[in-house]
Amino acid sequence: SLRSLLSSKADNSVEMSIDQVVDLIHQAATDPQIVALYGIMGHGNGFSTGGWAHVEELRNALLVFQQSHRRHLEPGQGMDPTPPKPKPMYLYSNTFASPSPTGGADMKEYYLASAFTHVH
C-alpha cells in the first residue's frame, strides 16, 4: 500500500514502476474514501518514463479515475436516483518545458496534464 511505502522514507519520496502507479490509481478510483487526486509536475518534480507508451498507460489510468463516479445501469432500470459526485483531479506545475534527451522541450508532461480536471 502507499502508506507502507511512504512510512519507509523520511522525505516521503517513493520510486514506483508504471505498473505500480497504474494499479494504485485504479485502487483509488474504486475507493469511496478517496475523493480527489492531486499531482505535482515541473522542474524538480518530474517523472521518468520508458517512453510514450508508459505515458499513455498512466494517462489512461487517470481517465479511469476521472470517470470512476459513473454507474452504468442495465437498460430499462431508469435513472440513478443518487448519482455519485465526480472525483476531481488537481495538477500543479510551474512549467511543462522539461528538457528532452533530443534537446527540445518534452511534451509528455503536457500530454499527461491534459487528463487532469484542474491544472494550475
Side-chain angles (χ1 to χ4, degrees):
S1 77
L2 184 58
R3 278 199 185 133
S4 62
L5 288 170
L6 291 178
S7 63
S8 65
K9 303 270 187 160
D11 63 354
N12 287 343
S13 65
V14 177
E15 242 183 74
M16 300 173 77
S17 71
I18 291 294
D19 292 340
Q20 290 172 311
V21 175
V22 167
D23 288 345
L24 196 60
I25 293 170
H26 285 164
Q27 289 172 18
T30 60
D31 188 337
Q33 293 182 323
I34 297 177
V35 297
L37 187 99
Y38 180 77
I40 300 173
M41 281 194 278
H43 292 297
N45 294 310
F47 61 96
S48 59
T49 64
W52 282 99
H54 286 154
V55 174
E56 181 74 17
E57 191 173 354
L58 188 53
R59 187 174 185 277
N60 287 342
L62 291 170
L63 294 175
V64 166
F65 182 89
Q66 182 185 46
Q67 296 297 318
S68 63
H69 70 284
R70 298 181 69 191
R71 293 185 192 151
H72 301 282
L73 301 176
E74 293 295 323
Q77 287 186 337
M79 298 293 290
D80 190 354
T82 56
K85 293 183 179 181
K87 293 183 176 186
M89 301 183 333
Y90 301 93
L91 176 72
Y92 172 78
S93 180
N94 58 355
T95 181
F96 291 111
S98 295
S100 74
T102 59
D106 194 352
M107 298 302 290
K108 291 176 186 170
E109 290 180 351
Y110 182 79
Y111 179 65
L112 190 60
S114 69
F116 284 79
T117 57
H118 301 81
V119 179
H120 304 278

